[in-house]
Amino acid sequence: MRTKSLIGFFTIIFLIQLANAQEDKNINWWNPADDNSLVVEGQAWPDQVASRYHRLPKQAEGKVRAAVWNLSKHSAGLSLRFRSDAESITVRYKVKGNHAMAHMPATGVSGVDLYAKTSDGDWRWYRGKYSFADTIQYRYSNIDPKEKYHTKGREYQLYLPLYNEVEWLEIGVPTDAVLEPLPLRREKPVVVYGTSIAHGACASRPGMAWTSILGRKLDRPLINLAFSGNGRMEEEVINFITEIDAKLYVLDCLPNLGATKDRSLDEVRQLLISGVKQLRTKRPSAPILLVEHDGYSDGAVDSERFKTYTDLNRMAKEAFAQLEDEGIKDIHLLTNEELNLSMESFVDGTHPTDLGMMEYAVAYEKKVRQVIKEPVGVLSTTIPVTQAREPEMYPWEGRHQELLKMNKEAAPKICFFGNSITHYWGGSPKANLSNGADSWKTYLEDLQIRNFGFGWDRVENVLWRIYHDELDGFEAEQIVLMIGTNNEHLNTDEEILSGLEMVISAIKERQPNARLLLLGLFPRVDKEERMRNLNTGIAALATSKNVAYADIGVVLLDKDQKIDASLFSDGLHPNAKGYRKVGKILKQTLEKNAN
């Protein structure tokens, strides 16, 4: 009987292994370490690391303390971005180290975490069935790849383990599905130098670390250089941080800088001052954010713990005041009161729960948006988001990254922001279709206009692009803005105008010396009156904001104020003849606006 039982048991194991092997045959596997392109998000030195999933460059070994170097092998803050239309996604990988800790689950220490964006830029989280063994595996099943506008799949972001080194990793999709790795983004990153809290302790999964949440909220690359127990404002580490051209530097090291017999409070204050000055020497203009200690949940009943963090926060305030008195510009302080963690926000009195991580991220987002001047509103038109409504025809992110590259290589004199009407006109970056290339060449090319038009864009998408560096790093002579027709079916005139007002403010903040020309929206079939009324509001907005306004689209109307169908390809987009008519007027308007 025992023999039969053993035979039955091994037969079941064999059949399971056979089924898994058969399933693997129907999966195409992608190993990022074998990819010729750099694809790991969150690395400041992607082409200088000793292993594909390390955080510090190989030249840091021996220059930073051994503890920092070993912790830098942890993949905290790293992620992989890809586009896929798969109905299932499998991730298998191996890590070095224990899978879990006493106060942090395996899903956070060693797990991965999958998020995706919809075509309208909204984030979604995916539940995976996981197994932790020598090879860890996550299976994401029953994925509906259909989007609101297409069936080409969506953009994914896979967060890697917070507290272990990844030895190898593969992502698999069915053989009939597409998996397209996405290249590294060109936007300047937020750089965080911190302690175990920023490292990720004690998030239940990697996507719930506050740095991950903040990265999604800002939708910007974030470099996590936090080292558990070892964020000590060390000169050697800051030397490497100064090599990064960042949007913002965050110094959140106070939880590892408590006074000891070897370190006085005054020395802590001096460390903060020296660190800021060290950064400012190499990076004279980027903002720096100092962060106070978040406190302990038992601080109200443990007088020693209360004194520890209140003393440290006093040193932070003193250091900040001294730096300001010495004329150090663009430094900021995130206080304990602004962090505002509750008693229930901690696992062990020190490290945040997921609730604490979210509270951290919310406080950080509020402060960071103030510092880098990226406000958000409550209306859909005032909340910056990406879009991927027609990825084959309009490769939205690729065009954005191409513009960042072009702007860095050769600054444009005039930037023309718009939607598909601008996108398909002509100029560069080149689109896969151009309905008015001849008129662009005749009227606009000599003016050195760059085409910042993106098909399907709405007001909120242009706001996102301006927030994400499309007007940074150069000085333009003029900015042209014609956006809002794709909001017509979703928003009221007042909502569209509110979004336009934020876009105008964002442009002025980044290009204060450029002349801004606000164009009225082109007429569209059966909606001529709505466009006319909306343009009246846009003209009034331009006057209130002291910017130029022109309604060049009136030449596309008949005498009865309806569209001249002979000038349009579809009742919305001008054809070559229509583009010639508006091109001539736009050239005259730009030349007049330049004087």
Side-chain angles (χ1 to χ4, degrees):
M1 180 66 75
R2 178 178 173 80
T3 301
K4 289 183 179 179
S5 297
L6 287 173
I7 291 172
F9 172 77
F10 286 116
T11 300
I12 292 171
I13 295 296
F14 172 77
L15 291 174
I16 291 173
Q17 290 175 338
L18 184 64
N20 287 338
Q22 186 62 38
E23 184 174 357
D24 287 347
K25 285 183 180 179
N26 297 321
I27 293 178
N28 285 335
W29 294 96
W30 171 55
N31 187 330
D34 296 335
D35 202 292
N36 292 327
S37 302
L38 300 173
V39 293
V40 180
E41 279 278 336
Q43 286 177 320
W45 302 270
D47 57 347
Q48 300 176 45
V49 290
S51 173
R52 183 56 68 109
Y53 305 109
H54 287 184
R55 292 183 289 155
L56 284 178
K58 54 190 173 186
Q59 56 266 33
E61 185 174 13
K63 294 182 180 178
V64 301
R65 286 186 300 108
V68 172
W69 171 250
N70 289 331
L71 289 164
S72 76
K73 298 176 183 178
H74 292 181
S75 53
L78 303 186
S79 63
L80 297 163
R81 296 171 61 247
F82 57 92
R83 180 172 292 281
S84 181
D85 61 355
E87 296 183 359
S88 64
I89 298 172
T90 304
V91 185
R92 61 186 185 189
Y93 59 101
K94 186 175 183 179
V95 299
K96 290 182 180 178
N98 295 325
H99 286 167
M101 300 182 192
H103 63 331
M104 186 173 175
T107 51
V109 174
S110 305
V112 294
D113 209 1
L114 187 66
Y115 284 75
K117 272 186 183 180
T118 69
S119 293
D120 286 324
D122 299 320
W123 287 101
R124 298 288 185 266
W125 176 75
Y126 288 79
R127 178 180 66 92
K129 293 184 178 180
Y130 47 82
S131 60
F132 286 86
D134 183 57
T135 295
I136 303 171
Q137 183 167 274
Y138 275 68
R139 289 186 181 271
Y140 302 91
S141 304
N142 303 317
I143 299 173
D144 182 359
K146 298 183 183 67
E147 274 290 325
K148 182 178 180 180
Y149 308 90
H150 58 81
T151 59
K152 304 302 180 183
R154 56 187 64 89
E155 172 193 324
Y156 290 92
Q157 186 161 2
L158 181 75
Y159 294 94
L160 302 187
L162 293 170
Y163 264 90
N164 267 320
E165 178 182 0
V166 176
E167 291 192 39
W168 61 267
L169 179 145
E170 292 178 327
I171 301 174
V173 297
T175 53
D176 60 349
V178 173
L179 188 153
E180 175 193 358
L182 294 176
L184 300 184
R185 293 176 285 181
R186 294 178 181 272
E187 295 98 324
K188 289 185 178 182
V190 172
V191 177
V192 177
Y193 178 28
T195 67
S196 56
I197 297 168
H199 194 132
C202 290
S204 64
R205 46 189 175 82
M208 283 306 297
W210 73 257
T211 50
S212 300
I213 301 171
L214 180 64
R216 289 195 300 277
K217 285 178 173 291
L218 297 176
D219 210 358
R220 178 178 289 277
L222 188 145
I223 308 295
N224 186 332
L225 293 178
F227 308 107
S228 189
N230 287 274
R232 301 179 186 175
M233 292 294 296
E234 293 170 300
E235 180 181 353
E236 298 80 7
V237 176
I238 296 178
N239 270 337
F240 282 103
I241 293 175
T242 62
E243 296 179 6
I244 308 169
D245 185 12
K247 186 75 172 181
L248 169 71
Y249 299 96
V250 176
L251 302 177
D252 190 356
C253 291
L254 281 185
N256 286 166
L257 291 175
T260 66
K261 61 182 180 64
D262 299 317
R263 181 174 56 226
S264 68
L265 284 171
D266 186 63
E267 287 172 326
V268 172
R269 182 173 60 84
Q270 289 300 328
L271 277 174
L272 297 175
I273 292 170
S274 298
V276 170
K277 289 182 175 180
Q278 185 181 352
L279 263 175
R280 189 51 84 227
T281 298
K282 293 284 186 70
R283 298 294 175 181
S285 58
I288 299 171
L289 177 61
L290 283 172
V291 184
E292 290 189 1
H293 197 303
D294 63 328
Y296 301 118
S297 59
D298 58 338
V301 294
D302 189 320
S303 58
E304 184 176 336
R305 297 253 286 172
F306 177 80
K307 185 175 187 305
T308 294
Y309 74 80
T310 53
D311 282 347
L312 286 170
N313 289 342
R314 179 165 50 86
M315 292 302 100
K317 287 183 172 68
E318 290 181 7
F320 180 72
Q322 181 176 332
L323 288 163
E324 285 200 314
D325 288 345
E326 293 181 12
I328 305 296
K329 302 295 184 184
D330 212 0
I331 58 169
H332 308 267
L333 183 67
L334 178 59
T335 66
N336 171 276
E337 292 75 19
E338 289 172 308
L339 288 170
N340 195 32
L341 267 66
S342 64
M343 181 177 66
E344 284 81 15
S345 304
F346 300 84
V347 170
D348 53 4
T350 301
H351 300 97
T353 59
D354 284 355
L355 170 62
M357 288 292 186
M358 183 58 72
E359 290 170 336
Y360 241 96
V362 168
Y364 257 102
E365 183 192 12
K366 182 178 179 180
K367 177 65 74 171
V368 170
R369 286 196 178 278
Q370 292 172 359
V371 172
I372 64 176
K373 299 178 175 59
E374 293 184 4
V376 297
V378 295
L379 303 172
S380 64
T381 54
T382 63
I383 301 172
V385 291
T386 62
Q387 59 99 344
R389 299 184 181 105
E390 198 171 349
E392 287 193 334
M393 184 68 73
Y394 301 105
W396 197 88
E397 181 176 334
R399 186 171 174 86
H400 169 65
Q401 298 300 330
E402 185 178 5
L403 271 173
L404 296 184
K405 181 176 183 290
M406 292 177 69
N407 293 344
K408 188 173 183 179
E409 293 172 350
K413 285 188 177 181
I414 302 176
C415 308
F416 190 175
F417 282 88
N419 49 45
S420 56
I421 295 171
T422 306
H423 190 162
Y424 275 0
W425 193 334
S428 63
K430 290 187 179 299
N432 55 15
L433 176 66
S434 181
N435 292 328
D438 62 332
S439 61
W440 186 286
K441 184 176 180 64
T442 300
Y443 297 116
L444 306 179
E445 188 170 280
D446 289 344
L447 299 178
Q448 297 183 44
I449 300 180
R450 185 156 293 159
N451 190 328
F452 284 68
F454 282 52
W456 282 93
D457 255 16
R458 299 172 186 157
V459 173
E460 56 268 29
N461 305 130
V462 171
L463 183 62
W464 187 97
R465 294 197 280 119
I466 292 171
Y467 280 178
H468 286 74
D469 305 359
E470 284 191 9
L471 288 178
D472 291 3
F474 65 95
E475 289 193 9
E477 293 180 2
Q478 293 192 66
I479 310 292
V480 184
L481 178 65
M482 183 174 66
I483 195 69
T485 196
N486 288 332
N487 293 88
E488 177 272 333
H489 65 296
L490 297 169
N491 301 104
T492 65
D493 289 4
E494 291 72 22
E495 290 170 340
I496 294 171
L497 292 171
S498 294
L500 282 172
E501 185 173 9
M502 284 193 69
V503 171
I504 291 169
S505 297
I507 291 172
K508 286 187 169 186
E509 180 65 45
R510 289 152 182 81
Q511 293 283 343
N513 299 319
R515 299 176 186 87
L516 177 55
L517 173 62
L518 193 57
L519 294 181
L521 303 180
F522 285 2
R524 51 191 300 173
V525 66
D526 297 331
K527 296 181 179 179
E528 292 90 346
E529 185 177 359
R530 171 81 195 277
M531 295 298 103
R532 187 161 50 250
N533 292 337
L534 186 51
N535 284 345
T536 299
I538 294 174
L541 176 63
T543 299
S544 69
K545 289 294 184 178
N546 195 30
V547 301
Y549 171 79
D551 186 5
I552 66 174
V554 293
V555 299
L556 302 173
L557 292 169
D558 271 333
K559 292 179 181 179
D560 62 358
Q561 297 301 299
K562 298 294 185 179
I563 69 162
D564 181 345
S566 70
L567 302 176
F568 287 82
S569 60
D570 57 4
L572 172 63
H573 301 88
N575 56 25
K577 183 180 177 182
Y579 277 122
R580 282 195 293 272
K581 294 198 73 168
V582 293
K584 183 178 181 179
I585 299 177
L586 180 57
K587 176 181 173 68
Q588 295 169 352
T589 305
L590 289 171
E591 289 175 339
K592 181 180 178 181
N593 194 50
N595 299 322

